[in-house]
Amino acid sequence: MDVLDLRKYIRDVPDFPEPGILFKDITPLLGDAKAFDYTIAKLVERYKDSDIDAIVPIESRGFLFGAPLARELGKAIVPVRKPGKLPAATHSVDYGLEYGTNTMEIHADGLRKGQKVLIVDDLLATGGTLAATARLVEMAGGVVSEIAVIIELTFLDGRKNLDGYDIYSMIQY
Ligand code: AMP
């Protein structure tokens, strides 16, 4: 596998979605078949021999990476979604954002007790979303093996909200 510099495929968009935020846009990566394939291949390489039972991708951008990875690995997908999207009984976690709060949900019967899970999202910022997702996995009876993100904003120190979890990030800023 040729090495690709994935940073070339991440676009900075200033002041989105609000003033002062430098948004890391992954659409150039998604829009380049080679770069996307390389990204998924790197994840496959890392997790192909792991003993995980399921991938838990986070709506929406986590789905883009979690689904192809799950298929390559032959693993189940158990989505974590925004409130009101999952039709059957759910567990729900509220968490604080920079401004206001957010909620995420998982199907209560999505995991069997003790199943090992890889959580997948596009980006680790403050870690609030990933910490809420880890709680949801545990409420559903699962065990978090690792958290995988494409991009980590290290200057936000999101890892401090994810104490005790193993985290893999492909690109750091
Ligand atoms: P957080 O809960 O603060 O770690 O934020 C996580 C979610 O917000 C991720 O799923 C990202 O999609 C999104 N996000 C937060 N900050 C940024 C940013 N600077 N650029 C792109 N996406 C972001």
Side-chain angles (χ1 to χ4, degrees), residues 21-24 61 95 121-129 153:
I21 305 284
L22 183 61
F23 193 84
K24 297 290 180 190
R61 281 167 294 204
Y95 62 101
D121 204 359
D122 66 328
L123 184 141
L124 166 59
T126 65
T129 307
L153 304 182

Side-chain angles (χ1 to χ4, degrees), residues 27-135:
T27 63
L29 188 156
L30 297 170
D32 186 291
K34 267 207 178 106
F36 183 64
D37 184 56
Y38 177 78
T39 305
I40 301 302
K42 273 190 81 165
L43 290 170
V44 170
E45 187 58 32
R46 180 173 179 87
Y47 296 108
K48 66 179 179 352
D49 298 321
S50 76
D51 61 353
I52 52 171
D53 302 298
I55 306 277
V56 171
I58 304 175
E59 185 175 1
S60 312
R61 281 167 294 204
F63 292 0
L64 295 165
F65 300 98
L69 176 62
R71 186 167 189 276
E72 285 290 320
L73 297 177
K75 304 294 178 185
I77 298 171
V78 182
V80 159
R81 299 207 61 183
K82 290 163 187 164
K85 302 285 188 187
L86 290 169
T90 58
H91 294 298
S92 183
V93 169
D94 300 317
Y95 62 101
L97 291 174
E98 252 176 299
Y99 301 100
T101 62
N102 204 359
T103 304
M104 292 305 250
E105 296 183 339
I106 195 169
H107 267 150
D109 64 355
L111 292 166
R112 285 189 302 281
K113 198 164 172 40
Q115 278 198 310
K116 297 190 193 75
V117 158
L118 173 68
I119 295 173
V120 177
D121 204 359
D122 66 328
L123 184 141
L124 166 59
T126 65
T129 307
L130 285 164
T133 300
R135 274 199 59 204

